[in-house]
Amino acid sequence: MLDIESKGTVCLHISDFNLDDIFGCGQCFRWRRKPDGSYTGVAHGRPLSVSQEGDTLLLGCGEDDLAFWGGYFDLRRDYGKIKESLSQDTVLKKAVSFAPGIRILRQEPWEALCSFLVSQNNNIPRIRGIIERLCCVFGGEIEGTAARAFPAAPRLAALSESDLKPLGLGYRTPYVLSAARKVAEGKLDLAAVAEMPLAQARAELMKLRGVGPKVAECVLLFGFGRLEAFPVDIWVKRVLAQFYPEGFPPELAHLGGVAQQYLFHYARCCPACDLVH
DNA sequence: AACCAGGGTGATG
DNA sequence: CATCACCATGGT
């Protein structure tokens, strides 16, 4: 039995990184902030406690887990350079300076698919609650902790609608169930989707009931790290209509997903962004 | 107490 | 192709 406290702490020097920005910008739903500013959560079945003191990141894990969490937090990518490119655009410049610590997390594809199925026509606090209940009730136990993994597809595939009913997914319940069954039966191979060209991957995801253009883009961006994927929700739609009447700048399209995340958070959370609702 | 939310589906012009 | 009612639930 492994004691989580015995895993120790690893310190890392980081830049263009802020936990509040990263966990608060609406890309993920399982991280919780404690009063001391640290966060606890689970990703890819691994629990973590993480905090930040300025440009020092403190990970509650062992040295052998460092590469994994470095991948999850996208630490090997130069966001300084990305932000420099995006800031050529005047609106993006403001969005970036509003939350300069945003990074795109590399989430588990199945969790991203499930989470953004749940997200449709829904609000973030409620999405978080639903995902939490899903993990609490059906997630696998993680040895040595009280934390639970995101429920694997076969686990959900074995459930009925009435099992999921009390969790409050509403009309999205059959969407999650049929996606789980398709993955569990091998009719949708997420590992294969990861290798496909963007358009093909998008088309493959959109074969699922409940997955339209927006959810597909979210899965591509947050689950597969496709930074050119560009989810357009109600907020981004407003941003595009007001600030980009000619369309989003094509020369930034290869970073569209990252740009979209700065813009989404800015539009949603910055009172001074003078966006008309 | 209404209105809205990281939309998608299916039916109808 | 564009529009539209409808979907279940609860946060604000």
Side-chain angles (χ1 to χ4, degrees), chain A residues 217-241:
Chain A
E217 296 303 293
C218 282
V219 177
L220 290 168
L221 178 60
F222 303 122
F224 292 109
R226 300 292 185 93
L227 299 194
E228 69 274 40
F230 195 94
V232 180
D233 78 310
I234 182 67
W235 291 98
V236 174
K237 199 170 295 181
R238 289 169 187 151
V239 169
L240 291 176

Side-chain angles (χ1 to χ4, degrees), chain A residues 26 28-30 114-134 150 167-169 172 214 264:
Chain A
C28 58
F29 306 101
R30 291 205 65 191
C114 225
S115 298
F116 285 95
L117 268 174
V118 168
S119 80
Q120 72 159 16
N121 196 30
N122 210 341
N123 59 65
I124 292 179
R126 194 160 83 96
I127 299 165
R128 296 176 64 93
I130 291 170
I131 299 300
E132 180 181 16
R133 292 190 289 277
L134 215 45
F150 191 91
L167 303 195
L169 312 216
R172 308 165 193 85
K214 192 272 177 182
F264 170 77

Side-chain angles (χ1 to χ4, degrees), chain A residues 132-260:
Chain A
E132 180 181 16
R133 292 190 289 277
L134 215 45
C135 295
C136 185
V137 178
F138 299 113
E141 295 181 19
I142 301 173
E143 215 173 291
T145 78
R148 289 189 175 260
F150 191 91
R155 176 71 175 110
L156 295 184
L159 301 176
S160 67
E161 285 199 33
S162 56
D163 294 324
L164 244 30
K165 179 79 168 166
L167 303 195
L169 312 216
Y171 66 88
R172 308 165 193 85
T173 295
Y175 296 162
V176 170
L177 280 182
S178 76
R181 287 170 186 153
K182 199 163 173 185
V183 169
E185 291 167 6
K187 292 179 181 173
L188 174 63
D189 183 353
L190 292 174
V193 173
E195 304 302 320
M196 295 176 184
L198 189 73
Q200 190 186 347
R202 177 189 295 125
E204 195 63 25
L205 291 170
M206 286 181 62
K207 289 178 184 172
L208 296 168
R209 293 184 61 81
V211 177
K214 192 272 177 182
V215 171
E217 296 303 293
C218 282
V219 177
L220 290 168
L221 178 60
F222 303 122
F224 292 109
R226 300 292 185 93
L227 299 194
E228 69 274 40
F230 195 94
V232 180
D233 78 310
I234 182 67
W235 291 98
V236 174
K237 199 170 295 181
R238 289 169 187 151
V239 169
L240 291 176
Q242 183 168 339
F243 298 121
Y244 300 95
E246 319 282 279
F248 188 75
E251 66 272 19
L252 299 177
H254 64 113
L255 296 171
V258 191
Q260 172 274 155

Side-chain angles (χ1 to χ4, degrees), chain A residues 6 24 47 55 71 78 81 85 102 111 116 153 183 195 202-203 208 249:
Chain A
S6 71
D55 56 1
D78 185 352
K81 199 168 98 182
S85 298
I102 288 179
E111 177 175 342
F116 285 95
V183 169
E195 304 302 320
R202 177 189 295 125
L208 296 168

